[in-house]
Structure formats: structure tokens, C-alpha cells
């Protein structure tokens, strides 16, 4: 979304008082009122002025706008919330043209207790990170969400809440889990919205995931690769015994059908062989390598003309 500088819209400084903001708004809204203004963009400017004053003229909304908009760029530039409001931060999922509502509807949308206005709470969105094994087996996890809200003085504070989340077996990266009634609170006694949690897998050097297929790098010795044989390989679903074909090279792919992320149609697990040489760090090892060099007529660069 693009950043909207409401202070610039009203032509006031960020330190302007409530009275100065109201005065500037009234002056500009009279100037651009469609009934009296001859400016071609009078309607557009009036709408923008109303939006700006709707935020800066409200102490709670202004506090939230100042807090999260403090380090942003100029008018029209891409808006990036501060990094410390990242994972675990609930944000509004509404697709609204109002810049402030996109970020802070759950902060500024509260009504007085005696109001008869009722509106269901908006849905909120956050991301959670799980291990690949959680997708294979299912799990229960406790996550801590950080929720911004305004205190009695109109300052934005962060409240933490802990939720127990059931990770279903077979969940994939990018999938969203719906937690009914755990979104933003409703107004006037209306029900809360829902919370949608986007699944992300914790990075692991052993695994690469593509959809439901999983790719695992498996180190093998030179003799296992050359002679072939059975080896035990730990996988996300447990240790399995696989047969390495003779004369295997680094990059050879062994497919274990149906051993990927489980589902009605499960993915596959691909084992990518990586030949690892023992270090020549003692006399015995160096002697063995010297014997191989003398007795094995092997030139890996032969095809290169070397």
C-alpha cells in the first residue's frame, strides 16, 4: 500500500495542536467544497481532507498513526510497517481504500459501550513458522500474538495473547489456518472476526519443499557410491533403509513414492546423493589415497581434454 501523509494533506506540522488541525481542516474544506470551488479536483480533495481529518482529529487514531507511521517515506511511497511489528503481529485483512483502516481498523474502530452501533469484527492475519515434521505428524503449538491497541490516553500499546494452535497433518507452506472468532473484536456486542494463520516452514539445510514433494540431501561415502549397497537415512517420517545403486555420483536422485507431505494424494520424497570424501588428515589416509592414485587409471577431466 502507499503511504498517505495526512499532516501534509492538511498543511500542518506533526506537532500541530488539536485546535490547529481543526482550523486547517475547516479552512481547506471550505476552499474545496464542490458547491463553491472551481477546482477540477474539488471532489477528490474534499474526500482526501475528510479522510485526513478523520484520523488526525481523533486522538486515538492520531496516536496509532503517529506510532506506526513515524519512520515512513513521503506521500505516495510504498508503506512498510516497522520490522519489529512482523511475525506474530495481527493486521487487518480488509481490502479498503482508506490507508489508516488497512493498518489500524482494529485500534481505531472501538465504540463507546453505550453505542447501539453493531458491526462484526474484521478478520486478522498473521504468519506462524513450524517444523517440517509438524506437517508430517500434526502438532499442537502455543503461539504468542502481539496486538496493538490504544490505551486510555490514546497511546498505542502492545498487548500479548497466547493461543493454542492445532497444526493439522499434511499442512503445506502458504496454507492458511482459520481460527474462528479469534480476529478483531466486534462493536456493540457483535461477534469477533476470524484469525487466519499463514503457514511457513522453518528453514532446514537438509530439506527443500516444493508443494507436497520434499527433497533431502543425503551424504554418502565414495565406496557406498561406487559399490552400491543399503544405507539408513533419517527422514521427516522416520528412518528408512534405501539401496544406493552402484556407480552413483553426486546429484543422483532416488525417489521414495508417497513419502512426501501426507495427504489423500501424498507427495514424494527425493533423496539427492552427495558423495563426501574422507579427509586426508593422517598418514594412513594419505597412504590410501596415494595407492588409489597409483592403481586406479581414472581421469575425471578426460572429457574436457585434460
Amino acid at each position: 500500500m502507499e503511504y498517505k501523509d495526512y499532516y501534509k494533506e492538511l498543511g500542518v506540522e506533526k506537532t500541530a495542536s488539536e485546535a490547529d488541525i481543526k482550523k486547517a481542516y475547516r479552512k481547506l474544506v471550505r476552499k474545496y467544497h464542490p458547491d463553491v470551488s472551481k477546482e477540477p479536483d474539488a471532489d477528490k480533495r474534499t474526500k482526501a481532507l475528510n479522510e485526513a481529518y478523520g484520523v488526525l482529529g481523533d486522538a486515538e487514531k492520531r496516536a496509532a498513526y503517529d506510532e506506526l507511521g513515524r519512520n515512513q517515506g513521503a506521500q505516495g511511497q510504498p508503506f512498510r510497517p516497522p520490522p519489529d511489528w512482523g511475525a506474530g503481529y495481527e493486521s487487518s485483512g480488509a481490502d479498503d481504500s482508506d490507508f489508516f483502516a488497512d493498518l489500524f481498523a482494529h485500534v481505531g474502530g472501538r465504540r463507546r459501550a453505550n453505542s447501539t452501533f453493531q458491526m462484526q469484527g474484521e478478520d486478522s492475519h498473521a504468519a506462524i513458522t513450524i517444523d517440517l515434521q509438524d506437517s508430517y505428524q500434526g502438532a499442537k503449538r502455543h503461539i504468542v500474538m502481539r496486538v496493538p491497541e490504544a490505551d486510555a490516553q490514546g497511546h498505542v500499546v502492545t498487548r500479548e495473547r497466547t493461543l493454542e494452535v492445532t497444526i493439522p497433518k499434511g499442512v503445506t507452506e502458504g496454507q492458511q489456518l482459520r481460527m474462528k472468532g479469534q480476529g478483531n473484536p466486534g462493536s456493540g456486542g457483535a461477534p469477533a472476526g476470524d484469525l487466519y494463520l499463514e503457514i511457513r516452514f522453518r528453514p532446514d539445510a537438509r530439506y527443500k519443499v516444493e508443494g507436497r514433494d520434499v527433497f533431502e540431501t543425503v551424504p554418502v561415502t565414495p565406496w557406498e557410491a561406487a559399490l552400491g549397497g543399503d544405507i539408513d537415512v533419517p527422514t521427516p517420517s522416520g528412518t528408512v533403509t534405501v539401496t544406493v545403486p552402484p556407480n552413483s555420483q553426486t546429484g543422483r536422485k532416488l525417489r521414495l513414492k508417497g513419502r512426501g507431505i501426507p495427504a489423500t494424494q501424498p507427495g514424494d520424497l527425493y533423496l539427492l546423493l552427495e558423495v563426501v570424501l574422507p579427509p586426508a588428515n593422517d598418514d594412513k589416509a594419505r597412504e590410501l589415497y596415494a595407492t588409489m592414485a597409483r592403481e586406479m587409471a581414472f581421469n575425471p577431466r578426460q572429457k574436457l581434454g585434460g
Side-chain angles (χ1 to χ4, degrees):
M1 72 184 69
E2 292 183 351
Y3 177 67
K4 291 186 179 181
D5 189 337
Y6 289 142
Y7 291 100
K8 183 177 180 181
E9 191 70 54
L10 294 180
V12 297
E13 298 294 329
K14 292 185 177 181
T15 56
S17 67
E18 182 179 347
D20 290 337
I21 290 173
K22 181 182 293 187
K23 180 179 179 181
Y25 166 71
R26 288 179 173 176
K27 178 180 178 181
L28 289 171
V29 83
R30 283 196 298 267
K31 176 181 177 181
Y32 288 101
H33 194 285
D35 292 341
V36 299
S37 177
K38 297 182 180 179
E39 298 289 339
D41 60 345
D43 286 335
K44 183 178 179 181
R45 282 302 308 275
T46 299
K47 181 180 179 181
L49 290 169
N50 288 334
E51 181 179 323
Y53 185 68
V55 174
L56 300 186
D58 182 292
E60 184 179 88
K61 290 184 179 181
R62 183 182 180 184
Y65 175 79
D66 288 346
E67 178 70 18
L68 291 187
R70 180 177 296 132
N71 298 316
Q72 302 312 313
Q75 177 91 351
Q77 294 298 310
F79 178 80
R80 296 289 185 271
D84 57 337
W85 291 71
Y89 168 68
E90 292 186 45
S91 60
S92 170
D95 181 14
D96 197 307
S97 60
D98 187 327
F99 163 78
F100 183 85
D102 282 342
L103 285 175
F104 312 114
H106 55 296
V107 175
R110 299 188 303 173
R111 303 282 176 171
R112 292 182 176 85
N114 62 356
S115 173
T116 59
F117 177 85
Q118 287 191 327
M119 178 178 290
Q120 180 170 342
E122 293 183 353
D123 295 338
S124 58
H125 299 256
I128 61 171
T129 301
I130 66 172
D131 294 322
L132 180 60
Q133 283 80 358
D134 292 339
S135 176
Y136 272 78
Q137 302 164 6
K140 287 188 180 295
R141 294 286 181 265
H142 287 88
I143 63 171
V144 178
M145 308 299 298
R146 292 182 294 155
V147 186
E149 59 183 24
D151 63 15
Q153 289 73 41
H155 301 129
V156 172
V157 296
T158 300
R159 174 178 60 85
E160 291 189 348
R161 64 170 176 152
T162 301
L163 299 175
E164 183 179 71
V165 180
T166 299
I167 309 297
K169 183 177 180 179
V171 70
T172 56
E173 190 159 37
Q175 183 175 337
Q176 292 193 347
L177 304 182
R178 178 190 178 200
M179 300 191 68
K180 185 174 178 59
Q182 295 297 328
N184 297 314
S187 300
D194 298 333
L195 171 63
Y196 290 87
L197 300 175
E198 181 181 344
I199 295 296
R200 297 176 184 172
F201 288 141
R202 184 168 286 107
D204 191 316
R206 295 172 298 171
Y207 304 117
K208 177 183 176 183
V209 181
E210 294 182 3
R212 294 192 178 277
D213 292 335
V214 178
F215 298 80
E216 178 179 358
T217 298
V218 180
V220 294
T221 65
W223 46 91
E224 289 170 337
L227 303 177
D230 293 341
I231 61 172
D232 291 333
V233 179
T235 73
S237 59
T239 299
V240 297
T241 300
V242 297
T243 300
V244 177
N247 296 315
S248 292
Q249 299 286 344
T250 290
R252 182 156 193 171
K253 188 185 298 182
L254 307 181
R255 178 190 180 198
L256 302 185
K257 184 176 175 58
R259 285 273 185 170
I261 293 178
T264 304
Q265 294 184 330
D268 297 331
L269 174 64
Y270 293 90
L271 305 181
L272 307 177
L273 301 184
E274 180 183 32
V275 180
V276 179
L277 298 177
N281 53 6
D282 57 38
D283 292 341
K284 180 68 172 180
R286 285 189 288 271
E287 180 182 345
L288 289 172
Y289 275 117
T291 300
M292 291 174 61
R294 289 193 305 269
E295 298 184 5
M296 297 185 68
F298 176 65
N299 181 1
R301 295 172 298 281
Q302 185 174 2
K303 292 182 179 180
L304 304 178

